């Protein structure tokens, strides 16, 4: 080996070790993330959290465990029985994130895949307990109440595992084919009943209108008879009105029609009056 070769090799090895140590000592935490520190002697450090930006750890001796603190959605499907023993297929959308103050607890008990370990089990547990309290029809009419109850119970259960649920909502409810067919048949029967009721009401109203019209016509005939008996000129007035209507209709028509006084009822004017005067 040439003179000074060992020294140069040592320098290169030292520089390589320093570079390796420097590279692995730097940890960059992305926005919306946080990290806890694990060391080979003391285990998890309960008080040290690595925040956003550039952080330093001791290579080989310390290791950063990064958690995503952003709220993420997770759809979960489950099946449960209602109070009236109807099977219901439920789809939930859960918005969750880890509790940033309990990351050591979450890692020690659940690891980094805490959502896959906890959420499906507690969602099934809570959903089955809530759905069993309602009938199938109530799940539709009281959907907001059911969703709020499931959300409150899930939030309490998730806190036990260091998980925060921002929101829980029911996205889909599906019943068995037999129950769906029964509901449709019931709706059809109700619609037919409403239609029959409407037909009966319409017949009653038509009957009333016919009776009222007949009563009005009878009363009008009685009044006209009394008017003619008291004043014969009333009949002549009606004849004049009829003649005027006939004349107006002919004027508006495009055809030319010639009518004599007999057709227009004009020659009859004065008959009732003259006869009445002669009797007097």
């Amino acid at each position: 080996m040439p003179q000074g070769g060992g020294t140069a090799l040592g320098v290169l090895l030292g520089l390589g070790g320093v570079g390796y140590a420097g590279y692995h000592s730097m940890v960059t935490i992305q926005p919306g993330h946080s990290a806890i520190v694990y060391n080979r002697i003391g285990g998890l450090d309960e008080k040290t959290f690595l925040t956003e930006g550039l952080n330093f750890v001791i290579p080989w001796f310390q290791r950063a465990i990064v958690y995503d603190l952003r709220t993420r959605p997770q759809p979960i499907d489950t099946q449960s029985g209602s109070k009236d023993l109807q099977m219901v297929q439920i789809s939930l959308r859960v918005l969750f994130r880890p509790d940033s103050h309990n990351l050591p607890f979450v890692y020690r008990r659940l690891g980094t895949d805490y959502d896959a370990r906890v959420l499906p089990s507690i969602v099934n547990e809570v959903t089955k307990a809530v759905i069993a309290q309602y009938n199938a029809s109530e799940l539709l009419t009281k959907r907001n109440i059911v969703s709020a109850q499931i959300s409150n119970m899930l939030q309490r259960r998730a806190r036990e595992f260091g998980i925060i649920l921002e929101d829980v909502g029911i996205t889909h409810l599906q019943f068995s084919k037999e129950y769906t067919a029964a509901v449709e048949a019931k709706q059809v029967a109700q619609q037919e009943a409403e239609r029959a009721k409407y037909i009966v009401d319409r017949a009653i109203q038509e009957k009333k209108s016919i009776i009222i019209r007949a009563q009005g016509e009878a009363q009008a005939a009685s009044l006209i008879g009394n008017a003619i008996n008291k004043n014969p000129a009333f009949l002549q007035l009606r004849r004049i009105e009829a003649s005027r209507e006939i004349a107006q209709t002919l004027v508006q028509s495009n055809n030319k029609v010639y009518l004599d006084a007999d057709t227009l009822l004009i020659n009859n004017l004065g008959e009732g009056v003259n006869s009445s005067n002669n009797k007097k």
Side-chain angles (χ1 to χ4, degrees):
M1 179 177 297
Q3 185 177 4
T7 304
L9 180 61
V11 171
L12 291 176
L13 291 176
L15 292 175
V18 171
Y20 176 85
Y23 175 79
H24 288 278
S25 65
M26 294 184 295
V27 178
T28 301
I29 305 300
Q30 300 296 328
H33 293 69
S34 183
I36 54 178
V37 177
Y38 169 81
N39 65 72
R40 295 181 179 273
I41 295 179
L44 287 177
D45 191 342
E46 301 284 346
K47 298 181 180 180
T48 302
F49 294 89
L50 305 182
T51 57
E52 298 178 5
L54 183 62
N55 297 268
F56 295 92
V57 296
I58 301 174
W60 184 83
F61 182 72
Q62 291 180 326
R63 176 166 56 92
I65 303 168
V66 182
Y67 276 90
D68 188 353
L69 301 182
R70 296 172 297 181
T71 301
R72 292 178 291 164
Q74 180 168 339
I76 299 177
D77 297 330
T78 182
Q79 188 175 16
S80 179
S82 61
K83 188 177 181 180
D84 52 354
L85 303 181
Q86 297 293 333
M87 296 307 297
V88 185
Q89 187 73 27
I90 305 174
S91 298
L92 298 175
R93 186 203 60 181
V94 180
L95 297 179
F96 71 97
R97 62 179 176 85
D99 187 354
S100 59
H101 301 290
N102 290 324
L103 293 181
F105 171 81
V106 174
Y107 181 75
R108 184 174 286 114
R109 292 191 59 183
L110 304 173
T112 55
D113 57 343
Y114 61 93
D115 53 334
R117 292 174 178 268
V118 173
L119 291 181
S121 59
I122 64 175
V123 166
N124 282 314
E125 172 191 347
V126 172
T127 302
K128 291 179 183 296
V130 174
I131 296 301
Q133 302 176 15
Y134 297 91
N135 295 327
S137 59
E138 293 177 337
L139 295 177
L140 296 175
T141 58
K142 300 180 180 180
R143 182 166 178 166
N144 293 335
I145 299 176
V146 175
S147 179
Q149 187 173 353
I150 291 176
S151 177
N152 293 332
M153 293 182 64
L154 274 178
Q155 287 176 355
R156 289 196 298 269
R157 288 287 288 127
R159 289 195 197 100
E160 299 176 3
F161 299 94
I163 303 173
I164 297 176
L165 298 185
E166 299 287 351
D167 181 66
V168 178
I170 298 177
T171 59
H172 182 66
L173 280 175
Q174 183 177 357
F175 299 93
S176 62
K177 295 181 179 179
E178 293 78 9
Y179 180 78
T180 303
V183 171
E184 292 178 354
K186 182 179 178 181
Q187 292 294 329
V188 171
Q190 290 179 348
Q191 291 175 0
E192 292 294 336
E194 291 294 331
R195 181 181 178 184
K197 182 180 178 182
Y198 169 75
I199 294 174
V200 172
D201 292 340
R202 185 177 64 180
I204 293 174
Q205 295 298 325
E206 290 178 353
K207 179 180 178 181
K208 290 181 178 179
S209 64
I210 292 173
I211 293 173
I212 293 173
R213 189 184 305 112
Q215 291 176 349
E217 292 176 354
Q219 187 176 4
S222 177
L223 293 175
I224 291 173
N226 293 333
I228 293 173
N229 292 331
K230 293 180 180 180
N231 187 3
F234 177 79
L235 183 59
Q236 301 301 326
L237 178 61
R238 284 302 181 91
R239 288 177 176 176
I240 293 173
E241 292 177 352
S243 300
R244 185 175 60 183
E245 292 179 358
I246 294 173
Q248 289 178 351
T249 302
L250 293 176
V251 170
Q252 295 175 358
S253 176
N254 294 327
N255 300 324
K256 294 182 179 180
V257 179
Y258 296 95
L259 300 176
D260 55 10
D262 293 332
T263 307
L264 290 174
L265 305 177
I266 296 176
N267 288 343
N268 296 327
L269 297 178
E271 291 180 356
V273 178
N274 293 332
S275 61
S276 177
N277 293 334
N278 293 331
K279 291 179 180 180
K280 292 180 179 180

